[in-house]
Structure formats: structure tokens, C-alpha cells
């Protein structure tokens, strides 16, 4: 119990943290740093019922997230409140757990030899919505896209300024490609996904932004249209490759649609393929659990290989070389805690 008690406490605290997000309590607390609150004051300021706030405080004061002093006075470290704003990585990763908790029986069944291959995309109807919010938060935090395009070097930023043809593969809710299309209006963009309903939402968003240089189409990584061969100057993919059923074929396909002089950037999870090494990092708990419930699961459910979120940079590099890239054409660098950025340059690239 000594080892399991902190896990149990953290799980319940995480649930209450997300509830406080939806109630607007973290935003209220953050707007008044260093303030000490009564339950009545906090409830009134956040527009909440006092009885509900009192029970919420009980959870998080017990867990040490909030401080509760004699006289029922509440305070919160301002760094904690800032970390739990709607735009924070931690808050979004906690809120993702909502998608998983009612799937545990289905996930458990997949373990059995005679059980299902995996739990598929259709069981996660809110995934694209969550991923869109997650991408939007991270883009804002990292000043995407200009910082990213300059970071990867190779003339990508300058070429986009002048005007090139760009493809985003596996665009999901389109937060990345819309941001890039908005920043670089001289370039033309095509983005594809397999989910037509998601693409319809993307088209509405793009129209609201007045984006005339962007087209969303239904397409599959392994069956890309013949007219795309050697067609694009720049291909980008974000947080997607490890979810795919057939990533090796997808990697070959991405190289095939690139012009003789072009660049591919692939952002994925920075992890080691050596599980013993990777599990020395306690934060890998988050990555492996997301993978267990979603990344690996949806790939296996489609009859795929189930790479998982922690497939690792070593395996990624090996697979890219097997897909036809030479070592000298590959660059890898880390950006922050989670992001591995692979840059593949064909021919002269975009210089």
C-alpha cells in the first residue's frame, strides 16, 4: 500500500483538477495571484455553488495542491495555478484521461489472447476535438509556426515566404496547417485525413479565417493519389506517425510525393526505443498510458503494427532509412520535453 497510496491520491486529485478547470476555478485563482480566499469568496468570484467548491477544496487540499488554513482560508501557489490554466500542457494531458476512463473494460479485453485486436477510433469520438485543443495550446506556447520553421532550418521559412506547395499528412483538426497557411499566404497548402467529418469542420474554420490557399481532402497515407508523385516542395506531419497502422508504408509514401529537391518534417514523441532506459523517467508513465489506451490501441484495431507513442527515436531513424532515406539526409533534434523533430532533406532541399 505504501507505493500504491500516492498513485491512488494522485488519480483522484487529477480528476478534481479537471473538474475545477471546467468550473473555471483555476482561471479565477490565477487572475488573483497571492490572494487568500474564503470558500464563499472563491465561489462568488468563479460563479460557482459554495457547497461544490467546498468539497472540491477538500480533495485538493488533502492532496497538497491547494493550501487550507485555520478559518477555512484557501491559497494556491501562483505557479501551480498558472500550470493549470486551460492552455497548459499539464491540464490538457489530465483532461485527456476523460476519454479513457470509461474504456477500461474494453482495453482489458484486448489483453486476452481471444480478445479484440484493439479499441478503435470510433470509440474515441472526442479525440479529434481534444487533439485540436492540445495542438492549439502547444502552438500558442511555442510561437508556432514561425519559430518551428526557423528551428528546422534548411531554408523552409524562406521558401514558405516566397511561395511553395505544401502537404500536411494526417492533419486531424487542422490546427497546424491553418496556422502555417495563415502565416505564409504566398504558399499553397493541401491537408489530408481519413475522417471526412473532421475535414468538414476544418473547412468551416478555414473559411472563417479567410484562407484561400488551403484545401482539405480525404486521403490515406498508403494510397495517396498518383498525381501527387514528386508534387510537393515541403511535407509536414505532426504527432501522427506512431498512431498509424502501417507507418513503414506511410514513410515511403511521404518521400514519393516530395519533389526531387524538397523537405519533410516529422514531429513525434521524444522517447527511447529502449524501454528499460525510457522507464527510468517517471513522466514516461503518461506517454505509455496514453499509448496503451489510444495510440497503440487504434493502430492494432486497424490490423496495424501498433508502434505506440514510445516507439522511440532509434526505431524511427531505422524505419526512415528503410523507407529510402540516407543517413546524411536525416537530422533529429529535441524541442522541449516531448517533441522529437525529424528533418529529411531530398536533393538540395529548399535552399
Amino acid at each position: 500500500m505504501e507505493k500504491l497510496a500516492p498513485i491512488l491520491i494522485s488519480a483522484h486529485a487529477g480528476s478534481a483538477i479537471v473538474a475545477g478547470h471546467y468550473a473555471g476555478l483555476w482561471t479565477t485563482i490565477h487572475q488573483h495571484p497571492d490572494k487568500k480566499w474564503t470558500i464563499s469568496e472563491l465561489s462568488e468570484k468563479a460563479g460557482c455553488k459554495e457547497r461544490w467548491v467546498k468539497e472540491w477544496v477538500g480533495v485538493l487540499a488533502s492532496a497538497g495542491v491547494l493550501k487550507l488554513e485555520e478559518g477555512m482560508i484557501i491559497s494556491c501557489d501562483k505557479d501551480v495555478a498558472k500550470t493549470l490554466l486551460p492552455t497548459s500542457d499539464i491540464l490538457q494531458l489530465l483532461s485527456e484521461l476523460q476519454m479513457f476512463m470509461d474504456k477500461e473494460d474494453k482495453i482489458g479485453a484486448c489483453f486476452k489472447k481471444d480478445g479484440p485486436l484493439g479499441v478503435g477510433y470510433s470509440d474515441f469520438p472526442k479525440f479529434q476535438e481534444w487533439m485540436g485543443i492540445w495542438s492549439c495550446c502547444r502552438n500558442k506556447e511555442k510561437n508556432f509556426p514561425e519559430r518551428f520553421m526557423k528551428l528546422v532550418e534548411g531554408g523552409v521559412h524562406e521558401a514558405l515566404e516566397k511561395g511553395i506547395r505544401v502537404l500536411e499528412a494526417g492533419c486531424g483538426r487542422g490546427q497546424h496547417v491553418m496556422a502555417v497557411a495563415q502565416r505564409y499566404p504566398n504558399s499553397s497548402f493541401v491537408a489530408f485525413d481519413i475522417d471526412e467529418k473532421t475535414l468538414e469542420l476544418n473547412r468551416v474554420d478555414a473559411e472563417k479565417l479567410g484562407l484561400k490557399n488551403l484545401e482539405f481532402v480525404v486521403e490515406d497515407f498508403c494510397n495517396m493519389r498518383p498525381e501527387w508523385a514528386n508534387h510537393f516542395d515541403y511535407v509536414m506531419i505532426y504527432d501522427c506517425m506512431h498512431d498509424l497502422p502501417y507507418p513503414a508504408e506511410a514513410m515511403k509514401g511521404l518521400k514519393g510525393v516530395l519533389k526531387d529537391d524538397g523537405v519533410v518534417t516529422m514531429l513525434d514523441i521524444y522517447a527511447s526505443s529502449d524501454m528499460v532506459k525510457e522507464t527510468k523517467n517517471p513522466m514516461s508513465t503518461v506517454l505509455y498510458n496514453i499509448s496503451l489506451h489510444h495510440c497503440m490501441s487504434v493502430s492494432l484495431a486497424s490490423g496495424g503494427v501498433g508502434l505506440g507513442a514510445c516507439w522511440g527515436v532509434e526505431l524511427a531513424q531505422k524505419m526512415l532509412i528503410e523507407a529510402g532515406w540516407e543517413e546524411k539526409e536525416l537530422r533529429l533534434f529535441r524541442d522541449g520535453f516531448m517533441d522529437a523533430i525529424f528533418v529529411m532533406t531530398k536533393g538540395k532541399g529548399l535552399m
Side-chain angles (χ1 to χ4, degrees):
M1 188 61 184
E2 186 178 334
K3 285 190 176 181
L4 294 179
I7 296 172
L8 179 63
I9 292 163
S10 296
H12 284 274
S15 176
I17 284 169
V18 175
H21 156 62
Y22 286 114
L25 286 159
W26 296 116
T27 301
T28 301
I29 291 170
H30 175 68
Q31 287 170 345
H32 303 274
D34 302 318
K35 179 173 173 58
K36 295 188 178 237
W37 306 81
T38 64
I39 288 175
S40 177
E41 287 171 340
L42 179 57
S43 304
E44 183 63 30
K45 199 70 178 177
C48 295
K49 300 184 187 81
E50 192 172 322
R51 182 66 188 93
W52 284 83
V53 173
K54 182 181 178 182
E55 209 73 0
W56 178 79
V57 168
V59 179
L60 295 178
S62 300
V65 179
L66 297 175
K67 186 176 181 181
L68 184 62
E69 302 174 75
E70 291 298 328
M72 298 294 283
I73 303 299
I74 309 153
S75 59
C76 179
D77 186 290
K78 59 184 177 183
D79 289 334
V80 170
K82 182 179 180 180
T83 302
L84 295 174
L85 285 174
T87 55
S88 79
D89 284 356
I90 294 292
L91 194 283
Q92 290 305 321
L93 288 170
L94 282 168
S95 66
E96 188 181 20
L97 290 170
Q98 299 169 90
M99 291 187 289
F100 302 154
M101 295 309 291
D102 64 343
K103 310 290 189 307
E104 300 296 7
D105 56 338
K106 292 184 177 181
I107 292 292
C110 296
F111 280 68
K112 307 304 288 184
K113 290 185 178 180
D114 60 350
L117 294 174
V119 179
Y121 275 110
S122 61
D123 283 290
F124 298 96
K126 293 187 176 181
F127 176 75
Q128 293 286 17
E129 178 187 351
W130 176 85
M131 193 67 188
I133 295 169
W134 165 249
S135 297
C136 190
C137 292
R138 295 176 77 199
N139 288 353
K140 185 176 180 181
E141 179 188 338
K142 295 199 170 189
N143 192 27
F144 183 88
E146 187 166 332
R147 175 184 170 275
F148 180 89
M149 298 309 169
K150 290 179 177 178
L151 190 65
V152 299
E153 300 178 336
V156 176
H157 168 71
E158 293 79 7
L160 284 165
E161 290 272 30
K162 291 177 183 177
I164 54 174
R165 288 177 180 168
V166 182
L167 174 70
E168 185 186 3
C171 66
R173 275 298 273 115
Q175 293 295 328
H176 290 101
V177 73
M178 284 189 275
V180 182
Q182 198 169 20
R183 170 60 184 82
Y184 299 100
N186 292 332
S187 292
S188 61
F189 298 83
V190 176
F192 76 76
D193 202 274
I194 58 171
D195 188 345
E196 175 61 44
K197 289 182 180 178
T198 295
L199 295 179
E200 280 298 328
L201 294 173
N202 293 354
R203 292 181 189 116
V204 171
D205 291 344
E207 188 174 352
K208 287 177 182 176
L209 292 170
L211 296 174
K212 305 295 184 185
N213 59 337
L214 170 58
E215 179 185 9
F216 288 102
V217 298
V218 176
E219 197 54 83
D220 185 288
F221 273 90
C222 299
N223 296 290
M224 288 189 274
R225 37 192 93 181
E227 61 267 30
W228 283 1
N230 297 93
H231 184 72
F232 295 99
D233 300 284
Y234 175 42
V235 177
M236 53 190 192
I237 174 170
Y238 298 94
D239 284 322
C240 178
M241 188 60 74
H242 64 265
D243 290 338
L244 299 179
Y246 309 109
E249 289 83 349
M251 288 178 181
K252 292 175 185 175
L254 293 181
K255 188 173 186 184
V257 300
L258 195 65
K259 288 183 179 179
D260 290 336
D261 296 312
V263 171
V264 177
T265 57
M266 182 177 83
L267 184 145
D268 215 283
I269 304 294
Y270 197 101
S272 173
S273 305
D274 181 343
M275 183 180 275
V276 174
K277 177 181 176 181
E278 186 61 32
T279 53
K280 302 299 183 190
N281 178 6
M283 280 301 290
S284 296
T285 306
V286 178
L287 301 177
Y288 277 113
N289 192 48
I290 291 171
S291 187
L292 174 71
H293 287 80
H294 187 269
C295 309
M296 179 192 74
S297 180
V298 296
S299 175
L300 292 173
S302 301
V305 298
L307 277 181
C310 293
W311 60 317
V313 295
E314 301 93 336
L315 177 57
Q317 289 173 308
K318 179 175 180 288
M319 291 178 68
L320 285 165
I321 290 169
E322 289 172 352
W325 295 100
E326 296 180 26
E327 267 191 68
K328 65 182 181 181
E329 297 175 319
L330 293 178
R331 285 186 291 129
L332 164 65
F333 53 94
R334 186 172 192 164
D335 184 26
F337 158 62
M338 284 184 62
D339 293 344
I341 302 174
F342 299 85
V343 183
M344 288 75 79
T345 304
K346 191 176 179 183
K348 296 177 183 177
L350 296 172
M351 296 296 284

